[in-house]
Amino acid sequence: MSDKPGLSTIEAITCRQQVVRAVRFNIDGAYCLTCGADKKIKLWNPYSKLSLKTYGGHANEVLDAVGSCDSSHIISGSADKSVILWDVTTGQPLRRYRGHASSVTCVKYNEESTMAVSGSIDNTVCFWDVVSRRQEPVQTLKDAKDTITSIQVTDHEVLTSSVDCHTRLYDLRVGKMFSDYIGHVVTYASLTHDGQCYILSCADSTVKLFDKDSGELLNTFSGHESKDYLLENAVNETDSHIISGSASGEVFYWDLVSSTCTQKLVHSKNKPVVSLSHHPTENYLLTACEDEIKLWGVPKMEE
């Protein structure tokens, strides 16, 4: 175990959304969003446990949501097959995009938040121009053979993971797609902050670290159980630790280089921690388990 002080629960919030499907920090980590089985999105200040706003307009469970780069808008995806663009302040839906033939599992913005990207159980990834009034997708990617489980977007790349055991990296500058066969269902893909590696949560109860350019497997992290859950992963603010939830209610921290487990947080025994979100620049973690989210951090030392 590391000699650094461990994380502990700072706040626990009962969201009253039946089940929280996803929890997401906003761009600067000041607020967070929770997506509920109750068809709603809630905006919170997790540090003061304050519920700031509720966004209702989806006809089914909300599976993912993300705030724009200036925190003025939210984009959300739902089991009702639609993607909605919301005004944060008024709480009103501004646009509803209907291009998917099935549940929208994941959504992301591009860096300027001029484009929203959504992935679906219909195997496709759609790009939506959220600035214009255009209702159809600007582009649809149809390379995956099964459900899209996650999307990450950088300034010129889109990384997708799929139940078809592949990750696909689209380089938008050169218009090329690089596909990697992982050998297991990939439930979530994220990128390290330096952009050099991607972190894949796999259905064989492992998290795998790959070099983005060479496609080489650098490390495998294990000890957690995934069962049939679509577990997410995260990397801490300094790229030193890989983080994953588990079916057993624990959150695992592994050293990125040595792959040893340095810490286990228990959110709730034997209840799955499916969604988590790490603060972009500070040592805070949000985890979601059933109808509760927890904010973890290092307790401030008393003066």
Side-chain angles (χ1 to χ4, degrees), residues 188-252:
Y188 197 79
S190 66
L191 290 156
T192 49
H193 293 296
D194 62 13
Q196 303 289 305
C197 306
Y198 40 81
I199 308 155
L200 308 181
S201 293
C202 300
D204 64 340
S205 295
T206 64
V207 178
K208 295 176 167 62
L209 180 72
F210 284 86
D211 182 282
K212 194 183 78 180
D213 295 328
S214 69
E216 181 192 352
L217 176 63
L218 301 175
N219 228 334
T220 301
F221 308 89
S222 60
H224 62 302
E225 285 179 81
S226 54
K227 293 191 176 164
D228 290 333
Y229 295 105
L230 297 180
L231 297 184
E232 297 176 359
N233 66 61
V235 61
N236 69 335
E237 77 283 7
T238 56
D239 277 348
S240 67
H241 284 78
I242 304 284
I243 309 160
S244 173
S246 73
S248 62
E250 294 163 312
V251 179
F252 284 69

Side-chain angles (χ1 to χ4, degrees), residues 16-22 35-38 61-62 289-291:
R16 298 193 169 81
Q17 291 182 270
Q18 295 170 12
V19 175
V20 176
R21 295 296 179 205
C35 307
D38 67 345
E61 298 192 11
V62 184
C289 180
E290 295 194 337
D291 191 35

Side-chain angles (χ1 to χ4, degrees), residues 25-94:
F25 267 116
N26 75 326
I27 187 97
D28 62 3
Y31 303 100
C32 74
L33 296 167
T34 55
C35 307
D38 67 345
K39 312 174 190 174
K40 293 182 173 62
I41 302 150
K42 288 189 175 182
L43 175 68
W44 303 87
N45 176 335
Y47 309 98
S48 60
K49 298 176 71 165
L50 228 66
S51 171
L52 302 169
K53 205 149 197 87
T54 300
Y55 303 85
H58 277 296
N60 207 329
E61 298 192 11
V62 184
L63 302 178
D64 198 9
V66 64
S68 62
C69 58
D70 61 359
S71 295
S72 65
H73 294 90
I74 294 166
I75 196 98
S76 62
S78 163
D80 68 6
K81 309 178 191 175
S82 77
V83 173
I84 294 183
L85 175 71
W86 306 84
D87 183 299
V88 166
T89 316
T90 66
Q92 292 305 304
L94 298 174

